[in-house]
Amino acid sequence: MNASPQTPVGQLDFGVGGMTCASCVARVERALRKLPGVQDAAVNLATESVHITFDAVQPDMELLARRAVRNAGYEPRSLAAQEAAADAAGPWAGFAPVALGLLLSAPLVLPMLGDLFGQHWMLPAWAQFLLATPVQFILGARFYKAGWHAAKALTGNMDLLVALGTSAGWGLSMWLWLTAPTGHAAGHAPHLYFEASAVVITLVLLGKWLEARAKRQTTAAIRALHALRPEVAHWLGRDGEVDVPIAEVMAGDRLVVRPGERIPVDGRIVEGHTQVDESMLTGEPLPVARSADGPQGGQLTGGSINGEGRIVMQVTAVGAETVLARIIRLVEDAQAAKAPIQRLVDQVAAVFVPIVLAIALATLLGWLWAGVGLETALIRAVAVLVIACPCALGLATPAAIMAGTGVAAQQGILIKDAAALETAHRVDTVAFDKTGTLTVGQPRLTAFAAALGQDEAQLLACAASLQSGSEHPLARAVLHAAQERGLAIAAPAGVRAVPGRGTEGVVGARIVLVGSLRWMQELGVDLGSLQAQAAQWQGAGATVSALAERVAGEPGGADAYVLRAMLAFGDEPKPGARAALAALRARGVRCVMVSGDNRSAAEAMARRLGLEPENGDVLAEVLPGDKAAAVRALQQQGGAAGHIVAMVGDGVNDAPALAAADVGMAMGNGTDVAMHAAGITLMRGDPQLVAAALDISHRTVAKIRQNLFWAFAYNVAGIPLAALGYLNPVVAGAAMALSSVSVMTNALLLKRWRP
């Protein structure tokens, strides 16, 4: 059901217990999508959670959704309780049923080992019955319960296959025992299959326990982020320091942070100076200096560790608005989302169990027709049912995504959604915004030239006054240069910003404007003798702006603009930017710099970064509103197939381009708008993380493909072998359990990744 664009959208998340395979996932999603008002429902087997998007006007959606999950045969749970249970769980949590199953099954398996050494240790039939029955109906009750719910819904899942297969083995053993000749019953039992049913259930339980243990490791990154939040803050009140719960802290409060403690919430330093370890948030291994008068205004991020100094901070954000909370939310959303490749798995899962049941029935009838007898035919059908359980299929994709996004977050790469993760490995072109992305983003006024007969100090003060309210990096550079010279800054009036061009306003009695040379050209400003100076500065890589004054024209004529001064700004490449571009090119990725600068200035900076302007690596004089069009042009350069383009930026004006790119990457030191538009956020603002993001995407997608290959190959190879009689149910059960564990273990190898 699709909502109209005006319909407010609500979102709901909660846990779902009792799911075992990809068929369970499909069943829960089907039940939820039938609810009125539900736009979409995505279930994640690895996190055992559901994310529902619905019309916000729909009342009682949580109650309806939980009831739908319960009616489908599964247990709705609180995510908080689920996370708390995972946190409290030790390495052996949930092993008791497995241990009991192993204890009861061991005597049944012992005779099989004895046969290898010519010993006949077969237990009496009654002893086999007493050992196998508790395993079948007490430890295996979960399979009957879930399988019954699936059967009632006319669907199938792993539990139904296990219940049918082991029940057939147990029932066959009972029939053979009860119908055996009296001589056999009084002495040694005929060949029974109690051990097959008991061992299969025990192996499946063991596999599920190992799988659950591995799941806890895949969510370790999220739990580590949650653990960064301290429980108590030292609130500074009228009576001095008072310890209060974090939940009581409000924006504007003053908190004391002692040496070695975690910063409780976001804020800024108002007293003291220190070194802050932000490694768990940004991946940056070295502590960074923070003080009230520092270059970043003493900004502090909750969850980072205070160094050697006692500081007083003022709170700027609490609760869900803190950087740490937003990071956790991004990682959780990415881990809960489905990658596009998961659609294939969902389509297969929808028909998988019915096909397996049909193959098992065909196996039974085929072997009966071949004349091998009911006993052999039934055992081979049981083997088909057991080995076909689609556990690994449902875990293949989410397990890899959870591990990949988790380890990326620990290294300062926040992947917003699974689609961005899956697309990034195919990127062949990366477009970089220049200022603040490839350069430091803190330009300095390197030269100032006044027109003939003009007072340089007066004009610089005029330019600084006009731009005193702007946050643009060039405006801040002008203001800083004027302050260094001790010039008086006046308050401007009627200030008007012209996007991509400059600023116009009234300073004193003068109407002045500061902006790009392109704007001057559009306004018909004559650069006169300063034109050669501007060309020289641009050739050296400087960004050049002009200061002009609007003067009244002749009576009845239009006003004119007269050049008063030229300004040159210099910015430096970020440390490691050149190496970052070289690393991308070594991967076969084309790098393009997008800049609003004059072409000669942009090309000069590009050469310092190791780019080749003559090969089209520079797009210069691109207005902010045209960046998205530039990205689309790069995408279309590949002909019919097109290029897969990633855009890397940090400013508000980069947001449309980030959204237009196949993958948007925002620098973490940039604006919130850019980070919302991007699929990936680089927390350190380090260009070298771009190659790292592409690398973790490549490795994660490789793990997904490996997992899906083994999950499919296991079933494709295992089912025919079982149907042909080459696998008995015990071996099939072991292989089935091993498949899930191998998929989880393969995904966990991603935790070793380092950029």
Side-chain angles (χ1 to χ4, degrees), residues 506-547:
V506 179
V507 178
R510 310 171 75 175
I511 301 174
V512 294
L513 53 93
V514 175
S516 66
L517 297 187
R518 173 189 286 188
W519 194 23
M520 299 298 133
Q521 186 178 4
E522 292 173 355
L523 295 173
V525 177
D526 182 12
L527 302 184
S529 60
L530 293 180
Q531 185 164 5
Q533 180 67 71
Q536 182 182 346
W537 286 342
Q538 288 174 338
T543 299
V544 178
S545 295
L547 170 65

Side-chain angles (χ1 to χ4, degrees), residues 70-223:
R70 194 172 294 282
N71 289 340
Y74 302 93
E75 180 189 355
R77 295 173 176 170
S78 162
L79 280 177
Q82 209 165 259
E83 290 169 2
D87 290 340
W92 295 96
F95 189 70
V98 180
L100 183 58
L102 292 170
L103 189 64
L104 294 173
S105 301
L108 296 172
V109 178
L110 196 60
M112 297 172 61
L113 298 176
D115 287 343
L116 298 175
F117 303 100
Q119 302 296 320
H120 300 287
W121 297 334
M122 186 65 68
L123 296 174
W126 62 266
Q128 295 185 48
F129 168 79
L130 291 176
L131 290 168
T133 302
V135 178
Q136 182 70 41
F137 296 107
I138 298 177
L139 299 182
R142 55 178 285 183
F143 302 114
Y144 286 101
K145 180 182 176 182
W148 171 243
H149 283 294
K152 282 198 302 182
L154 299 180
T155 61
N157 60 9
M158 184 206 83
D159 303 289
L160 181 63
L161 296 181
V162 171
L164 287 175
T166 57
S167 296
W170 186 90
L172 176 62
S173 300
M174 287 295 296
W175 183 76
L176 291 174
W177 175 30
L178 297 176
T179 59
T182 306
H184 273 288
H188 290 288
H191 185 72
L192 305 178
Y193 297 94
F194 282 123
E195 89 282 348
S197 63
V199 170
V200 165
I201 285 180
T202 301
L203 287 173
V204 173
L205 291 174
L206 176 61
K208 299 305 290 181
W209 177 77
L210 290 170
E211 179 187 307
R213 187 172 175 176
K215 281 180 188 175
R216 289 196 292 271
Q217 294 182 53
T218 61
T219 56
I222 284 288
R223 294 202 302 277

Side-chain angles (χ1 to χ4, degrees), residues 537-586:
W537 286 342
Q538 288 174 338
T543 299
V544 178
S545 295
L547 170 65
E549 182 177 357
R550 183 175 173 180
V551 296
E554 297 293 331
D559 290 350
Y561 292 92
V562 179
L563 182 72
R564 296 303 187 202
M566 284 283 192
L567 302 86
F569 301 90
D571 198 359
E572 290 299 312
K574 278 188 177 179
R578 185 183 179 101
L581 296 176
L584 286 168
R585 290 199 301 275

Side-chain angles (χ1 to χ4, degrees), residues 17-39:
M19 297 187 298
T20 52
C21 64
S23 299
C24 298
V25 169
R27 188 164 146 220
V28 174
E29 288 180 343
R30 215 164 30 242
L32 291 170
R33 285 170 181 161
K34 289 179 182 177
L35 293 175
V38 170
Q39 297 179 21

